[in-house]
Amino acid sequence: MTLVAPTGVEVLGHLEPGYRDILSHEALSFLAGLHRRFEKRRQSLLRYRKERQAELDQGALLMFPHETADIRAGEWTVRPAPADLQDRRVEITGPVDRKMVVNALNSGAKCFMADFEDATAPLWSNLVEGQINLRDAIRREIDFTDPKNGKRYQVNDDAAVLIVRPRGWHLDERHVLINGVAMSGSLFDFGLYVFHNHAALKERGTGPYFYLPKLESRLEARLWSLVFQHAEDELGLDRGTLRATVLIETLPAAFELDEILYELKDHIVALNCGRWDYIFSYIKRLKSRKEHVLPDRAAVTMAVPFMNAYSRRVIAVCHRRGAHAMGGMSAFIPVKGDAEANAAAQEKVRQDKLREVKMGHDGTWVAHPDLVPVAKAVFDEFMPKANQVDRAPDPHELPVTTQQLLAAPEGDITDQGVTGNIDVAIRYIAAWLGGRGAVPIHHLMEDAATAEIARAQLWQWRTYDCSTKEGTALTAAFLENKIADICAAIQDEVPGQDELIARIQTAADILADLVLNEEFAEFLTLPAYDRITSDLKKPMALAEFED
C-alpha cells in the first residue's frame, strides 16, 4: 500500500488498512505546517529545560518569577468553560485502544481523557489506530466485540465528553519526518485529532478539547497557545474553539500557575494535579540536593506537606482566575476474586476523593469504570453544584510559600520499597516495550509516571548512599544484583515464552542503566523509545537540517 505524501514529508511507519484515511495528503500537509512553524521554538524550549536544570544543579533555587509579578497581582480571569465542561466531577482516563475507548465513554463518567501519552506505548500501530478509534467514536461508528466472550460493545448516547491528551513536548514521532527531521509527538497527536474531528465534534455540540502534559513553564504554555491559534486560523475556527486543561505535573510549573493560565487564557478551562509525574519531577529537578531525598513511594501521599501545598495552590489560583481545579488519580483499582481486598481498595479511593472534594477540587480522576460510582457518590454529596469555582477561599488560609512547595516529607526507605520499585519498573517497562502503556500490577494501575517514580527513587537512593530501615546499603553493586535477581524471578513466571522473557531482560537492562548511570535521564521513555524505533531510518537533527 502506497501513500502519496506532500513534498518534504516521509512516513516511515507501516500502512495497514484504514491508515491512509488518517494519514491523508491534507492531514499530512497540516502536520507539516505545524512542524515548520513551531519546531524551532520547541527545540529551544527543550534546551531551556536543560539549562534550567544545570542552574538548579549548581545551586539555583526555584522561586516565583520576579518578572511576572504583575500577572500574579493583576485582576483577570480566563474565558468561561463551554457548557459540556462545566461539570467534570468524575473523569476516567486510559489508553486509546478500541475496547478502552468504548468502555470509558460508556462508564458514566462526565469526561474521558483519551491518553496518547503516559497510558499509551508509542508503537506506530497504537498511535494511528488510536486516532482511528477516536474518529469512529465521535461519529458513533465504533464498536468492539470481545474475542473472549463474544460480547459486542457500542457507544451509548449519553457518552462521556472526550478530551485528548497528546504526548509531551519532549517526545518525537520518528515515523514521520518533515524535511528529514522527526516531528513532535505532541503536534502529531494534536494535529491529526483536530484536523479530522473538529467539524464532527461541532455537530455533536462539543469541541476539540485537550489535556496538555508535562509543561515546565509559561513559555511552554505560550507555545501551545500559538499552536492553538494557528490551528484555529488554518481550519477556519473561531478563537477559543480549542480548549485545554493543563496538567500541573512538574515542580517548576507549580511556581507559574497564574502565568500558565494567563498565556492560555483564551483556551484554558482548568488545571489538573497530575500527582505521580509531580513526585517524579520533584526528584528530578531537586536531584542535586540530598535534603530532598524521598522515602518509599507508598509514603509520599497527597497528605504529605509538599503535596498538600501543591494541591492547595492549584485550587486557590484556579478559582481566583475562574478556572476549574481538577484532582488526580488514586492508583488503586478493583481487586477481582477477593471481596475484602476489593472493599479496602474502594475505601482508599473513596477517602482520596473525599479529601479532594473537601479541599475544593472541582472534579477528579479514576482509572477503572467500576470506580466511577465511588468517586461520583462522594462528589455528588459534597459538591451539589456543577463545580466549586465560585467557592470563597478560606480567609484564614495563607498563600502557599516556596518553602512549603519544596519541603521534603519524613518517612523510611525500606527493603520492601526497594524491591517493589525494581519489580514494578521491570514489569512496566517490559509491558511498554510490548505495546501496553497502562498496566495493572499488584492491584495498582501503573503507567509511565509511576514507573518514573520507581526508577528515580532507586537512582536517588544510590546516589546519596542511602540505606534502608533494615540496614541494607543501597550501593550500585547491591542494586545491580537485585535488579538481576528480580528480573530472573519475573522471567520464571512465564516459562517457555521466549519473546516475553527476552523483553523482560531488555526492561531490566534499561532499568539498570537508568539506576546505575551517574547522569539522570530526563525520561525513561526516551531510551525505551530508542528500542522500539531502532529499525527506522535515523532522522536528522534540526540543526543539521538548517545547515
Side-chain angles (χ1 to χ4, degrees), residues 393-527:
D394 185 342
H396 303 293
E397 193 165 279
L398 298 175
V400 172
T401 65
T402 298
Q403 291 73 22
Q404 289 171 329
L405 288 171
L406 299 179
E410 297 179 356
D412 294 319
I413 302 168
T414 67
D415 286 350
Q416 183 179 3
V418 173
T419 298
N421 278 355
I422 295 172
D423 180 85
V424 164
I426 292 175
R427 291 177 189 273
Y428 180 79
I429 296 170
W432 192 95
L433 293 170
R436 297 176 64 201
V439 187
I441 302 174
H442 307 315
H443 307 309
L444 296 175
M445 184 58 75
E446 308 286 358
D447 67 6
T450 52
E452 291 281 29
I453 297 172
R455 67 92 176 183
Q457 287 196 309
L458 294 167
W459 183 92
Q460 189 183 48
W461 296 340
R462 176 196 62 77
T463 298
Y464 289 106
D465 300 319
C466 295
S467 295
T468 67
K469 183 177 69 172
E470 295 84 356
T472 304
L474 301 180
T475 64
F478 170 81
L479 289 172
E480 185 174 20
N481 290 332
K482 192 72 172 175
I483 289 170
D485 290 345
I486 292 175
C487 172
I490 296 172
Q491 289 173 320
D492 287 343
E493 297 174 9
V494 289
Q497 299 184 47
D498 293 346
E499 183 180 344
L500 179 54
I501 287 171
R503 197 160 67 238
I504 292 166
Q505 184 61 59
T506 300
D509 293 343
I510 291 172
L511 177 63
D513 187 59
L514 290 167
V515 171
L516 303 177
N517 201 308
E518 291 306 309
E519 295 296 319
F520 187 93
E522 269 285 287
F523 294 96
L524 71 80
T525 47
L526 296 177

Side-chain angles (χ1 to χ4, degrees), residues 65-363:
H66 297 301
E67 62 271 25
T68 55
D70 288 348
I71 291 176
R72 293 193 299 277
E75 294 301 325
W76 50 268
T77 57
V78 302
R79 186 189 292 255
D84 57 346
L85 291 182
Q86 286 289 339
D87 188 337
R88 301 173 62 177
R89 65 189 58 229
V90 183
E91 298 185 340
I92 190 168
T93 73
V96 291
D97 63 272
R98 207 160 181 89
K99 182 178 180 180
M100 178 66 197
V101 169
V102 175
N103 284 341
L105 289 172
N106 291 344
S107 66
K110 290 289 186 180
C111 301
F112 165 42
M113 187 194 78
D115 188 5
F116 282 99
E117 209 216 16
D118 278 354
T120 294
L123 300 184
W124 176 245
S125 56
N126 285 349
L127 298 168
V128 181
E129 289 169 20
Q131 293 283 349
I132 292 171
N133 296 337
L134 297 183
R135 179 201 64 190
D136 292 350
I138 291 165
R139 292 160 177 80
R140 301 300 187 262
E141 296 171 357
I142 192 170
D143 59 22
F144 175 81
T145 300
D146 192 322
K148 294 180 180 179
N149 57 26
K151 185 176 180 181
R152 188 164 180 256
Y153 299 84
Q154 291 179 293
V155 177
N156 299 333
D157 291 336
D158 59 346
V161 175
L162 184 59
I163 310 177
V164 171
R165 180 186 187 183
R167 282 168 285 175
W169 283 131
H170 61 289
L171 291 167
D172 294 338
E173 180 42 68
R174 294 179 188 165
H175 295 87
V176 178
L177 307 184
I178 314 293
N179 299 102
V181 177
M183 77 170 298
S184 157
S186 302
L187 297 182
F188 179 85
D189 301 337
F190 163 84
L192 287 179
Y193 179 74
V194 71
F195 179 85
H196 286 294
N197 299 304
H198 66 88
L201 289 164
K202 183 177 181 179
E203 287 179 10
R204 290 206 163 268
T206 183
Y209 302 150
F210 297 92
Y211 255 106
L212 307 180
K214 294 182 175 55
L215 271 63
E216 297 258 347
S217 71
R218 65 192 181 278
L219 302 178
E220 295 183 19
R222 183 180 301 166
L223 176 53
W224 270 118
S225 179
L226 293 171
V227 168
F228 277 26
Q229 292 175 50
H230 171 84
E232 288 171 341
D233 292 344
E234 287 292 305
L235 298 173
L237 306 177
D238 292 338
R239 185 68 74 236
T241 298
L242 276 60
R243 305 307 294 267
T245 298
V246 169
L247 288 141
I248 302 302
E249 51 186 355
T250 70
L251 184 62
F255 290 84
E256 300 190 35
L257 301 184
D258 290 279
E259 293 87 340
I260 288 169
L261 288 169
Y262 187 81
E263 293 290 349
L264 280 159
K265 64 181 179 180
D266 281 338
H267 297 99
I268 199 161
V269 294
L271 301 179
N272 173 286
C273 287
R275 63 179 75 171
W276 304 118
D277 265 305
Y278 190 80
I279 295 169
F280 166 57
S281 179
Y282 181 96
I283 299 170
K284 177 166 59 175
R285 294 301 174 228
L286 302 178
K287 64 184 175 66
S288 63
R289 294 171 169 82
K290 186 175 182 178
E291 65 270 24
H292 294 291
V293 170
L294 294 182
D296 280 1
R297 167 186 152 190
V300 187
T301 68
M302 293 303 294
V304 302
F306 87 95
M307 295 298 287
N308 177 269
Y310 143 70
S311 186
R312 287 191 289 112
R313 176 160 163 72
V314 167
I315 294 167
V317 172
C318 280
H319 289 177
R320 181 185 177 196
R321 305 304 183 185
H324 289 64
M326 300 298 296
M329 176 113 70
S330 170
F332 293 97
I333 56 176
V335 182
K336 295 181 179 179
D338 187 332
E340 185 176 349
N342 186 57
Q346 294 214 6
E347 179 58 22
K348 288 175 180 176
V349 172
R350 195 186 76 83
Q351 290 296 329
D352 182 65
K353 305 315 167 191
L354 185 62
R355 175 193 56 78
E356 287 182 325
V357 72
K358 287 188 173 182
M359 286 186 73
H361 281 291
D362 301 289

Side-chain angles (χ1 to χ4, degrees), residues 376-396:
K376 185 175 182 298
V378 174
F379 272 80
D380 286 350
E381 180 178 357
F382 292 94
M383 192 180 78
K385 297 195 298 183
N387 55 65
Q388 303 187 79
V389 173
D390 61 355
R391 172 172 159 169
D394 185 342
H396 303 293

